């Protein structure tokens, strides 16, 4: 009798509907944010290593030009303003996103992209000018560390701009759906992170370099 009940219970359990977590909540609450914060921490370690390398090699000029002879603080200040303004306009885009304004969000994201392109353009101009002056990364340990640190940040901005364009296409096509809202949140953290890193570059590399 007990065997029959066991088999009957097993059969009932086999026929009962089963619920799977992934079928209803493909993204657990705050899971994406946590994962992206972990990524940003790993990026912090990369930049910390590059800053430490520059701190060690930043005065190794090998009888070549110094930072005071090479850096144009006016140009760098303008470039810094471009990046800081892009962070402000990204904040405006997030505000429009909170209101569900797709067109407003896309407009401020486009303005952010323009400021980011201006930043990259001036940085490439600075690099080309230094190379024209014979101050390439092979000239001294100081310049090797400089090009590596500033160039790595520039690559991050480049990938951020690519991400921005792809996300704008997704928002234009699908609107401010939850998935795009998550992506906007992650890109916002990434973009503000690049601003913080650049403030460190501006202070530690450029300002201290001309002293």
């Amino acid at each position: 009798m007990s065997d029959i009940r066991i088999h009957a219970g097993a059969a009932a359990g086999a026929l009962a509907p089963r619920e799977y977590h992934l079928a209803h909540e493909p993204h657990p609450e705050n899971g994406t944010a946590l994962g992206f914060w972990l990524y940003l921490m790993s990026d912090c370690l990369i930049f910390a290593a590059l800053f430490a390398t520059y701190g060690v090699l930043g005065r190794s000029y090998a009888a070549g030009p110094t930072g005071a002879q090479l850096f144009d603080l006016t140009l760098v200040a303008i470039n810094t303003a471009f990046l800081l303004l892009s962070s402000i306009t990204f904040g405006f885009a997030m505000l429009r996103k909170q209101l569900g304004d797709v067109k407003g969000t896309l407009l401020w994201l486009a303005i952010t992209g323009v400021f980011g392109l201006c930043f990259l353009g001036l940085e490439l101009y600075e690099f080309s000018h230094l190379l024209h002056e014979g101050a390439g990364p092979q000239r001294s340990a100081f310049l090797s560390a400089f090009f590596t640190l500033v160039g790595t940040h520039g690559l991050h901005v480049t990938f951020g701009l690519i991400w921005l364009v792809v996300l704008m296409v997704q928002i234009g096509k699908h609107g401010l759906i939850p998935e795009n809202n998550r992506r906007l949140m992650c890109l916002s953290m990434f973009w503000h992170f690049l601003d913080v890193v650049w403030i460190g570059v501006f202070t530690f590399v450029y300002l201290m370099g001309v002293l």
Side-chain angles (χ1 to χ4, degrees):
M1 188 67 169
S2 59
D3 292 339
I4 296 175
R5 288 177 181 175
I6 292 173
H7 291 307
L15 295 175
R18 297 182 180 181
E19 294 184 0
Y20 295 94
H21 179 76
L22 292 178
H24 302 285
E25 298 179 16
H27 292 278
E29 186 177 0
N30 298 325
T32 301
L34 175 61
F36 202 76
W37 273 112
L38 292 175
Y39 158 71
L40 288 181
M41 287 184 213
S42 69
D43 232 12
C44 281
L45 294 176
I46 293 174
F47 279 107
L50 294 177
F51 273 110
T53 302
Y54 184 85
V56 172
L57 303 177
R59 302 291 178 178
S60 301
Y61 303 121
T66 66
Q69 296 170 326
L70 294 174
F71 297 153
D72 183 351
L73 279 186
T74 301
L75 181 69
V76 179
I78 294 173
N79 218 18
T80 302
F82 281 142
L83 197 59
L84 294 180
L85 285 173
S86 74
S87 187
I88 294 173
T89 57
F90 206 118
F92 289 153
M94 295 299 288
L95 290 176
R96 301 315 302 176
K97 185 266 293 183
Q98 292 293 336
L99 297 175
D101 183 1
V102 174
K103 291 184 178 179
T105 302
L106 290 175
L107 173 63
W108 285 110
L109 288 177
I111 296 173
T112 301
V114 170
F115 281 131
L117 285 174
C118 291
F119 173 84
L120 281 180
L122 280 182
E123 189 168 275
L124 290 174
Y125 169 78
E126 179 190 28
F127 282 3
S128 65
H129 176 72
L130 292 177
L131 293 173
H132 180 73
E133 295 291 324
Q138 75 283 355
R139 180 65 183 81
S140 64
F142 152 65
L143 287 169
S144 295
F146 167 79
F147 275 94
T148 303
L149 174 57
V150 179
T152 300
H153 180 270
L155 281 176
H156 277 70
V157 175
T158 302
F159 291 128
L161 286 173
I162 295 172
W163 186 1
L164 180 67
V165 172
V166 173
L167 187 52
M168 287 178 66
V169 173
Q170 291 293 317
I171 293 174
K173 184 177 181 180
H174 302 291
L176 293 170
I177 58 177
E179 290 81 3
N180 285 337
N181 287 338
R182 280 195 298 270
R183 293 160 187 158
L184 266 175
M185 176 194 67
C186 292
L187 181 55
S188 176
M189 289 193 294
F190 181 75
W191 201 264
H192 294 311
F193 167 75
L194 294 182
D195 275 3
V196 173
V197 173
W198 181 255
I199 291 173
V201 172
F202 179 71
T203 304
F204 188 59
V205 175
Y206 290 100
L207 289 182
M208 294 183 64
V210 301
L211 296 178

